[in-house]
Structures are given as C-alpha cells and as structure tokens.
Amino acid sequence: MPDSTTPAPRLPRIEPIGRMPDAPPAVVLLLHGGRSASRESGERRRLAYWRMRPFARGPLHAGLAVYLLRYRYRGWNGPARDAERDATEGLAAIAGRHPEVPVVLVGHSLGGRAALGAAGAPNVVAVCALAPWLDGSDPVDQLAGRTVLIAHGDRERWTSPAASFEYAVRAKRVTDRVARFDVHGAGHFMLSRAGEWHDLVTRFVLGVTGVEPEDPEITNALRLPTPAGLRAALAGPPGARS
C-alpha cells in the first residue's frame, strides 16, 4: 500500500457562477507555475496558483468544465518531472469524470512545460503554453495530432523566448497545427496586456474544441509556415486590433 504521508496532486473543479453543466462539451486543465527544484508543497496560497484562475472565466462562461491542478510539490525536480507527472495523473482523473470529453491543457511557465510534456494523454486535443520554461531537452513526439499554441512576452526575464521558439520549430515537425505568438510589451507574469493573454487563451480553447468558430488570428498563425507562424505578433482582441 502507498505511504499515507506521500503527498498527492489535487484536482479541484472551478465552479461557475450559476449552474454547473452536467455534460460539458470540453474540459480545460489549468497548470500553474513553480520552481525548477523544490519539495515544498504546491499550496494554493502561492501567487503562481492564483495567477491561473482568471484564465477560467472565458471557458466557464462558454459552459466548459475547468480544473486547476495543485501539484504535490512546488518544483519540477529534474528527471522526476514532478509537475508533468501530476498533470498526467490529473488527466487520468478527468478521463474518469468526463469519459470521451476532449481536454485542452493551459499552463504557465513550469506549468507550460508540464502541459507540453503531458499532451500525449489520449483525452488531450490541444495545448496552450504561456511563457513556458523550456531548456532544449523536452520531447515533441507526444504532440502528434494535437494543436499547439505558445505565447511569450518580449520583455521576458525568467524563461527563454528563444527556447520556446526552438521548441515550436521542432513541434512543427510532428504536427502541422503549431502557432507561436510574441506578446510585445509583456513580461513573464502576464501583468502587462493581461486581458489580451486571457482573451488569447479563451479564443484558442473555444475554437479548438469547436464551441465557437476558430479565431482568424490564431488560424492564420497555424497555417503560416515556419518561421512566420511561430513569430506572430499578438494583435489582441478585435477592439484592440488596427
């Protein structure tokens, strides 16, 4: 039997305002950031956890189910890849709660790395990685058949936009549905142009799940060849576009 003192990931569902749908058309799993190495608990008091909650609003409003994973540990922890392992366990739990319902992974920083790594789960149809922490060692084969969106601010100081571009180039070799956006004027914590980060995720999630028509800006980036479709400048929501 497993040791009862061993921590386990937690998978709370974010409840919408109003009635929770009995049969959501799709599920979103949000994965927050963390540290490269830490055995501290993934408590929800962390700012990284709360930074992801606003990304639930658009999908919830459209009737999707949204979960925000709480990791066992705060860190990635080298070859243990703890956050990715927790994401994989969370996806298995979602498959049990929502059989045959498609899932979109949305992760920030360490959570973006976990989302990309866990994308091979059979219920995953798409991945959205925001300012993902990547170091050139991450595989891409698990992305086959998935739609991938990566976004990175050009004022980033914590993770590498160059690394996410290199990853996107490799991902494009296993799936032709890869887009990457440069978010001009934005840094790692997505405080600048915050509404546009949230809007981008909502447009991607609703389009890739078929809840709404695919967004033209995202569709155009997905169709463009390398490198143009991997260095697209985020124009923002319709009211902010020229």
Side-chain angles (χ1 to χ4, degrees):
M1 296 179 62
D3 186 345
S4 61
T5 63
T6 301
R10 299 184 182 181
L11 191 67
R13 182 171 176 175
I14 299 178
E15 298 187 9
I17 298 174
R19 187 174 180 274
M20 188 177 292
D22 296 325
V27 175
V28 177
L29 177 57
L30 301 175
L31 303 172
H32 62 80
R35 291 185 173 179
S36 60
S38 174
R39 292 285 176 173
E40 294 179 323
S41 68
E43 298 176 1
R44 66 178 181 179
R45 65 183 173 86
R46 312 276 186 202
L47 286 176
Y49 176 91
W50 291 101
R51 188 173 291 118
M52 294 306 294
R53 284 190 66 95
F55 289 98
R57 293 173 188 159
L60 283 175
H61 184 72
L64 277 62
V66 181
Y67 293 86
L68 177 47
L69 185 69
R70 290 171 58 186
Y71 309 128
R72 292 168 299 131
Y73 302 117
R74 195 178 183 187
W76 183 261
N77 301 321
R81 303 175 73 92
D82 282 317
E84 181 183 319
R85 174 184 167 188
D86 290 351
T88 300
E89 290 187 21
L91 286 165
I94 288 171
R97 299 179 194 180
H98 306 280
E100 301 183 10
V101 175
V103 179
V104 181
L105 292 165
V106 179
H108 172 246
S109 193
L110 172 144
R113 187 178 195 178
L116 292 164
N123 52 343
V124 174
V125 296
V127 186
C128 181
L130 308 171
W133 169 53
L134 300 164
D135 63 7
S137 67
D138 296 273
V140 296
D141 289 347
Q142 73 281 0
L143 300 175
R146 278 62 175 167
T147 302
V148 180
L149 185 147
I150 296 172
H152 228 131
D154 66 349
R155 296 185 180 179
E156 175 69 59
R157 296 293 182 270
W158 293 79
T159 61
S160 170
S164 76
F165 175 79
E166 184 273 337
Y167 184 90
V169 170
R170 290 193 291 119
K172 196 81 168 178
R173 297 169 187 160
V174 299
T175 173
D176 60 357
R177 288 181 59 81
V178 181
R180 181 183 170 281
F181 284 89
D182 291 319
V183 188
H184 296 298
H188 183 68
F189 299 110
M190 305 180 293
L191 298 175
S192 297
R193 303 183 65 177
E196 292 164 63
W197 287 95
H198 301 153
D199 179 76
L200 175 67
V201 170
T202 297
R203 288 186 282 141
F204 176 69
V205 168
L206 299 189
V208 79
T209 56
V211 174
E212 291 186 358
E214 289 194 348
D215 177 80
E217 183 182 20
I218 296 173
T219 299
N220 184 58
L222 289 170
R223 290 175 177 170
L224 287 172
T226 302
L230 307 181
R231 286 183 173 144
L234 180 63
R241 301 175 201 172
S242 58

